[in-house]
Amino acid sequence: MEHIIKILLLIFLAITFIQSGLDKIVDWKGNLGWLKGHFSKTIFKNVVPLLVGIILLLECISGVLALAGAIQFATLDSSSLALYAAIISCITLLLLLLGQRVAKDYDGARTIVIYFIPAIFLVYLLQ
C-alpha cells in the first residue's frame, strides 16, 4: 500500500486513455467526421486524419503503459514504466490542449486541464 496514490493515478490514466483510444478505433469514421468539422477553420483542417492517428497512438501507448506501470508498482515495487506513462500522458494531453486552443474550443481546453493536473502531479511524485 506504500504506492497506492501512484497506483490509483496510473489506473485513472489507464482508464482515460484506453477508453479514449478504443472509442476512436470503434467509431473511427464518426470521430473523424466530427473532428474534421471541429478543425475546419484551423491550420489543421487538411491533416485531421493524420493528427487523429497520432493522438490515437499516443493515447494507446499512454494507457497501456499506465496499466503496466500500475501492475509493476503493485508486484515489483518499481516505477520505471509509471514514469514513462506519466510523461507520455502529459505530452498527449498537451497536444490535445493545443488542438482545443487552435480550434478556439475553450471549454474543451478547460476539460483537458482537468486531466492534466493529476497527470503532472504523477510526474512530480515519480521524479
Side-chain angles (χ1 to χ4, degrees), residues 88-124:
I88 294 171
S89 293
C90 285
I91 291 168
T92 303
L93 289 164
L94 288 170
L95 292 173
L96 289 166
L97 177 67
L98 173 65
Q100 297 297 62
R101 296 291 299 188
V102 167
K104 296 185 176 40
D105 181 354
Y106 301 113
D107 286 334
R110 188 174 14 250
T111 300
I112 300 300
V113 172
I114 293 168
Y115 289 95
F116 186 73
I117 292 168
I120 199 71
F121 181 60
L122 182 58
V123 171
Y124 173 77

Side-chain angles (χ1 to χ4, degrees), residues 9-105:
L9 287 168
L10 287 162
I11 292 170
F12 170 80
L13 292 175
I15 290 168
T16 298
F17 288 117
I18 291 170
Q19 184 279 324
S20 185
L22 286 174
D23 180 57
K24 285 179 182 63
I25 291 168
V26 169
D27 188 20
W28 177 261
K29 287 184 182 182
N31 279 286
L32 197 56
W34 185 84
L35 288 166
K36 282 182 178 180
H38 191 64
F39 290 105
S40 65
K41 297 179 182 178
T42 72
I43 59 171
F44 298 144
K45 66 182 174 189
N46 295 323
V47 290
V48 171
L50 173 65
L51 296 178
V52 175
I54 291 168
I55 290 296
L56 169 61
L57 181 64
L58 287 170
E59 286 176 339
C60 290
I61 291 169
S62 297
V64 169
L65 276 177
L67 183 60
I71 293 167
Q72 186 182 41
F73 252 132
T75 59
L76 303 174
D77 195 32
S78 175
S79 65
S80 58
L81 291 177
L83 181 58
Y84 291 126
I87 291 169
I88 294 171
S89 293
C90 285
I91 291 168
T92 303
L93 289 164
L94 288 170
L95 292 173
L96 289 166
L97 177 67
L98 173 65
Q100 297 297 62
R101 296 291 299 188
V102 167
K104 296 185 176 40
D105 181 354

